[in-house]
Amino acid sequence: MAWYEAAEKMELQPESDDQPAITPTQALFHSVAAPWTPRRMYEYWRDSTRLESHFGVGYDGSVGQFVGTETRADANMHANRRADGTGAVSIETASDETASDPWTDAQIAALIALGVWLHQRHGIPLRVCPAWDAPGFGVHRMFPEWSDGGTICPGPRRLQQFHDVVMPGIIAAATGTTPPPAPEQPAEQTPARYRATIGGLEYGYGAYGPHVQEVGEALVRQGFGRHYQVGPDQGWRDPDTLNYQAYQQSLGYTGDAADGVPGIVTLRLLLGHLPGPQTVSLAHIVAAARTDPGAAQGHQTYGAEVLVVEQALADEGFLEQRWADGSFGTRTVAAYAAYQRHLGYTGTAADGIPGRASLERLGARRHFIVTD
């Protein structure tokens, strides 16, 4: 087991002896959502829960270590110990009760010193983790795999400090150099206004769809959301481009390769996969249109697929957004009938029950594929 000489050793038992060994490849920073000292963190984990971290850092920069860094601690969900035996070192930090305040100068100094030790002792690379299972440094909120489905810990102010102060500080202290400042966007320069198509989906200014929101939410998790005033949402605007540009620059891209429009490599690194176009089954949509109106309010026969069609109807102006709820109820049937009449259908051909031709035309406009 490895113990940090600058920390006060407060060994948790039986965790320290009973939990499996890891090879540390990541270091993840947390906020404890309480203004606790390392001693108080130790007492809480000792007496109340077994979801411990390796380290705790108080507001005054004091550091406590509770489990050796080559033993699993349980604060990082799937990063605790992976199938190959690698795992993450977890560092809790004192915070206010909403985990929204910034780190103090003393905490930042302590985190930088600890980060340098983890790099030197375990070879954790001097970079931000590009994926949930890739070596490097990160904060707990960056990837949903590091928590039970996602977390907002630490808050946005600490997330910004991680990217602007802590990570550059670790790099500078470990290498004896000062990293160059990130390139600034000239005030008079207009962000890139073109789109790229990846996997059949558009990205860049003017692109629209749930895949756009997925990118925005991933950028926020990894600390590249500073240009959002609201959102992110399903529309790609200049703040999305500027945030993606900052993400590209963090990976070392420059010039035209860091213009804020995704490429295949950076998109895969950000999301961990490449999204494809959404698909809906014609048979499922027809079944929902025949079943949901007569069922209990809000009944969903094929909710996820129906929601794709409803959102397309809403985007085309045939359905109020509030009724896009995954249930192909009477309002959705009426909206689809209005869409059919818009296409020129009449009589029973405009009864609100989708047919292949009308559904495929809607999919072509709103980027989904009809199967069956």
Side-chain angles (χ1 to χ4, degrees), residues 117-134:
W117 181 81
L118 290 168
H119 166 68
Q120 294 173 342
R121 179 67 176 79
H122 297 298
I124 296 176
L126 299 172
R127 66 173 186 177
V128 177
C129 296
W132 80 269
D133 55 353

Side-chain angles (χ1 to χ4, degrees), residues 10 32 34-48 66:
M10 309 176 204
V32 75
W36 289 347
T37 65
R39 173 62 60 178
R40 178 66 184 91
M41 295 180 205
Y42 164 75
E43 292 169 350
Y44 175 73
W45 288 321
R46 181 194 64 192
D47 301 335
S48 303
F66 316 114

Side-chain angles (χ1 to χ4, degrees), residues 191-198 201-209 211-213 215-216 219 233-242 244-245 248 259-263 267 367:
R193 291 280 179 87
Y194 72 95
R195 293 192 291 275
T197 300
I198 301 173
L201 297 173
E202 288 188 329
Y203 300 87
Y205 189 82
Y208 186 88
H211 63 291
V212 171
Q213 186 164 347
V215 170
L219 289 169
D233 57 25
Q234 295 191 25
W236 191 295
R237 305 178 184 87
D238 286 342
D240 299 273
T241 302
L242 294 172
Y244 203 93
Q245 181 180 51
Q248 291 168 322
D259 64 357
V261 179
L267 188 63
H367 311 296

Side-chain angles (χ1 to χ4, degrees), residues 66-282:
F66 316 114
V67 178
T69 51
E70 292 170 317
T71 299
R72 187 194 74 195
D74 294 327
N76 301 312
M77 198 67 175
H78 298 303
N80 291 331
R81 186 179 190 272
R82 291 174 282 269
D84 62 359
T86 62
V89 174
S90 48
I91 303 109
E92 289 285 356
T93 57
S95 70
D96 61 22
E97 293 183 353
T98 60
S100 61
D101 59 341
W103 282 313
T104 66
D105 290 344
Q107 283 179 308
I108 289 173
L111 295 178
I112 289 172
L114 178 55
V116 171
W117 181 81
L118 290 168
H119 166 68
Q120 294 173 342
R121 179 67 176 79
H122 297 298
I124 296 176
L126 299 172
R127 66 173 186 177
V128 177
C129 296
W132 80 269
D133 55 353
F137 291 81
V139 294
H140 194 204
R141 67 186 289 164
M142 280 171 49
F143 296 103
E145 292 87 352
W146 291 350
S147 61
D148 187 10
T151 180
I152 58 171
C153 155
R157 298 170 76 181
R158 295 188 178 195
L159 189 63
Q160 201 64 58
Q161 288 176 309
F162 169 72
H163 284 289
D164 292 350
V165 183
V166 174
M167 197 66 231
I170 293 172
I171 294 170
T175 61
T177 61
T178 300
E184 294 185 0
Q185 183 78 20
E188 69 277 7
Q189 181 175 338
T190 301
R193 291 280 179 87
Y194 72 95
R195 293 192 291 275
T197 300
I198 301 173
L201 297 173
E202 288 188 329
Y203 300 87
Y205 189 82
Y208 186 88
H211 63 291
V212 171
Q213 186 164 347
E214 182 183 8
V215 170
E217 290 172 349
L219 289 169
V220 171
R221 283 198 303 273
Q222 296 206 35
F224 300 101
R226 73 174 68 182
H227 295 285
Y228 290 127
Q229 299 299 315
V230 294
D233 57 25
Q234 295 191 25
W236 191 295
R237 305 178 184 87
D238 286 342
D240 299 273
T241 302
L242 294 172
N243 288 331
Y244 203 93
Q245 181 180 51
Y247 163 67
Q248 291 168 322
Q249 291 168 346
S250 78
L251 298 175
Y253 291 92
T254 59
D256 291 342
D259 64 357
V261 179
I264 292 176
V265 174
T266 60
L267 188 63
R268 189 188 296 276
L269 282 174
L270 178 67
L271 301 179
H273 68 283
L274 287 179
Q278 294 177 300
T279 62
V280 300
S281 161
L282 175 62

Side-chain angles (χ1 to χ4, degrees), residues 292-319:
D292 291 349
Q297 179 68 32
H299 174 80
Q300 296 183 359
T301 303
Y302 293 102
E305 291 173 273
V306 167
L307 187 58
V308 172
V309 176
E310 287 182 318
Q311 187 60 59
L313 289 171
D315 293 339
E316 292 291 309
F318 295 102
L319 180 68

